[in-house]
Amino acid sequence: MNRADPLYQRDPDAWRAHLAEGNAKQPRKRVGADALIHDSDGRILLVNPNYKPDWDLPGGMSDANEPPDATVRRELAEELGLDLPATPLSLLCIDWVAPHGPWDDSLMLIFDAGTLNSATISTLHIADGELEDFGFFTPDQARQRLRAYIWQRLQAALHARTTGNTAYLHDGNSTSVR
């Protein structure tokens, strides 16, 4: 090989080591993935976690190297005993959340997990120690229970579900719709 050849051709092992070193120095983003789930009356499923104030959408933080849609499926199974069908989940909303408090920035996603029938709803139960309660609520009831920025994110997801356009937000505020 010629010294002028690119590193990936000259020394593939050295090239992979160079990439790994660069990867190790890059910032890490937290990724959270929530589910928008309705009942047959159009009410929205919310959960009441015992480790933070206010209600929330079901879901949670992605594990290392876990796809966000898999996060939604895992969290729903762990928290509510809900196994979603193996159909693809539609992405409704992406919200970039700026650093705040002790947290670095994050990407928070909401996926459309569909409408549950009454038979499936009757099987839901608190399956781990993270939840105090769960329930289905009208949008007005949801707004009263959610923190303002979660409500803004949910509103964008509801709009995206209607229009078919994924919402892109910064800190809960619309920047553009794609």
Side-chain angles (χ1 to χ4, degrees), residues 2-74:
N2 182 335
R3 192 81 182 137
D5 289 338
L7 182 60
Y8 65 87
Q9 288 178 345
R10 266 190 346 265
D11 188 345
D13 289 336
W15 178 65
R16 281 189 289 281
H18 171 73
L19 293 178
E21 181 182 337
N23 182 62
K25 293 178 182 176
Q26 291 180 353
R28 305 282 187 217
K29 282 198 187 323
R30 293 179 315 118
V31 175
D34 293 335
L36 175 58
I37 299 174
H38 285 90
D39 67 6
S40 60
D41 293 325
R43 297 177 302 171
I44 301 161
L45 177 62
L46 298 179
V47 296
N48 187 10
N50 57 23
Y51 55 87
K52 60 183 176 181
D54 305 312
W55 289 64
D56 209 342
L57 290 167
M61 300 309 292
S62 293
D63 289 339
N65 302 314
E66 180 181 43
D69 59 331
T71 300
V72 168
R73 292 177 190 286
R74 176 182 53 77

Side-chain angles (χ1 to χ4, degrees), residues 126-140:
I126 295 175
D128 69 11
E130 292 185 2
L131 300 181
E132 289 293 322
D133 200 3
F134 66 90
F136 286 87
F137 301 95
T138 65
D140 281 342

